Amino acid sequence: MEDIDSFAVVRIVDDDVGVRESYKFLIESDGWLVKTYCSAEDFLEHDNPTVPGCVVLDVRMPGLTGLELQNRLNSFVHKIPVIFISAHADIEMVVKAMQNGALDFLPKPIKDESLLIAIEKAVRLDHTRREKAKEKSEVNQNWTSLSPREQETARLIAEGLLNKQIADRLGITERTVQVHRANVFSKFGVRNAVQFAQKLMLIKSDDVNKA
């Protein structure tokens, strides 16, 4: 188990206590931290979505169904990857779950290896998503920290313009452009225009243009 997974939690949501305990034993034996919930409502009330990991979710449960819980999860800031399990799934149900973003749909009885592979994949995906979201948030903060003139300069830097070209475009001195460029690179923690352009790719063009 890698260090990045030591704080991830695999959530099991199933109304069958025997199934919950069986999955819990298997998954913990593979080195994961596990939390179990007896219903979708129990999960929504007690789970912390900021904790990375994934959800192993039964489709048919009293109260909110698995598909209804998936819809709730899709509205969260942190969209936790979902692995569906079911003994009575039809094609329409599987298609709907996958279209709504489910990572996998496993039929009961589940093969141990298939479940563990799906969990490994789901946690890796969640880790990647959260890292990208964190980086994007940092880039957004860096962008808003720029002055209006620095933002104008930054847009042209990202287009690949040289200092003299930027100076002519903005009607300022080349020395001023050099100062703005240095400030932009410093705030974004980059050394050149290529690295800066790569950072800006994390922000939607509309966000940059409106900022």
Side-chain angles (χ1 to χ4, degrees):
M1 189 74 60
E2 296 182 11
D3 291 340
I4 61 172
D5 302 325
S6 61
F7 51 87
V9 173
V10 178
R11 290 86 156 169
I12 302 170
V13 185
D14 197 303
D15 60 308
D16 187 320
V17 61
V19 170
R20 292 199 305 273
E21 291 305 312
S22 175
Y23 291 166
K24 184 174 187 291
F25 177 79
L26 169 67
I27 298 167
E28 285 183 337
S29 297
D30 201 42
W32 299 101
L33 298 176
V34 177
K35 287 190 176 181
T36 62
Y37 301 94
C38 62
S39 66
E41 291 83 357
D42 183 29
F43 173 86
L44 290 171
E45 182 177 356
H46 297 105
D47 190 69
N48 181 359
T50 65
V51 177
C54 68
V55 181
V56 178
L57 177 59
D58 191 14
V59 175
R60 299 182 184 277
M61 295 182 292
L64 282 178
T65 67
L67 292 175
E68 289 171 336
L69 176 56
Q70 182 189 25
N71 289 332
R72 296 279 190 94
L73 293 176
N74 284 340
S75 68
F76 289 4
V77 173
H78 298 291
K79 293 180 174 58
I80 305 173
V82 172
I83 301 167
F84 272 111
I85 54 177
S86 178
H88 308 286
D90 53 41
I91 294 178
E92 182 180 355
M93 184 183 296
V94 174
V95 170
K96 185 175 181 179
M98 301 305 286
Q99 287 179 338
N100 285 341
L103 190 64
D104 216 331
F105 204 114
L106 304 176
K108 292 181 179 179
I110 297 176
K111 294 180 179 179
D112 293 355
E113 184 178 1
S114 296
L115 178 57
L116 295 177
I117 289 174
I119 289 171
E120 176 81 16
K121 180 180 177 182
V123 174
R124 296 289 177 228
L125 174 61
D126 191 46
H127 174 75
T128 299
R129 284 177 178 173
R130 289 172 188 265
E131 285 297 303
K132 287 183 177 179
K134 179 181 177 182
E135 187 176 4
K136 181 177 180 179
S137 176
E138 291 174 350
V139 171
N140 271 301
Q141 291 177 8
N142 292 338
W143 180 262
T144 57
S145 73
L146 300 178
S147 69
R149 181 61 83 178
E150 287 173 342
Q151 288 182 358
E152 290 179 332
T153 304
R155 292 187 185 96
L156 299 179
I157 292 173
E159 291 178 15
L161 273 63
L162 302 176
N163 287 348
K164 185 178 187 307
Q165 294 172 312
I166 296 174
D168 292 342
R169 180 79 67 87
L170 298 179
I172 58 180
T173 67
E174 191 170 343
R175 173 57 184 162
T176 301
V177 174
Q178 291 174 347
V179 172
H180 289 333
R181 182 185 287 266
N183 288 340
V184 169
F185 285 2
S186 176
K187 290 179 180 180
F188 277 80
V190 298
R191 296 183 179 181
N192 54 57
V194 173
Q195 292 178 349
F196 176 67
Q198 290 173 339
K199 288 282 188 179
L200 279 198
M201 287 177 64
L202 294 172
I203 307 178
K204 292 180 180 179
S205 59
D206 288 344
D207 294 338
V208 172
N209 292 332
K210 292 176 182 177

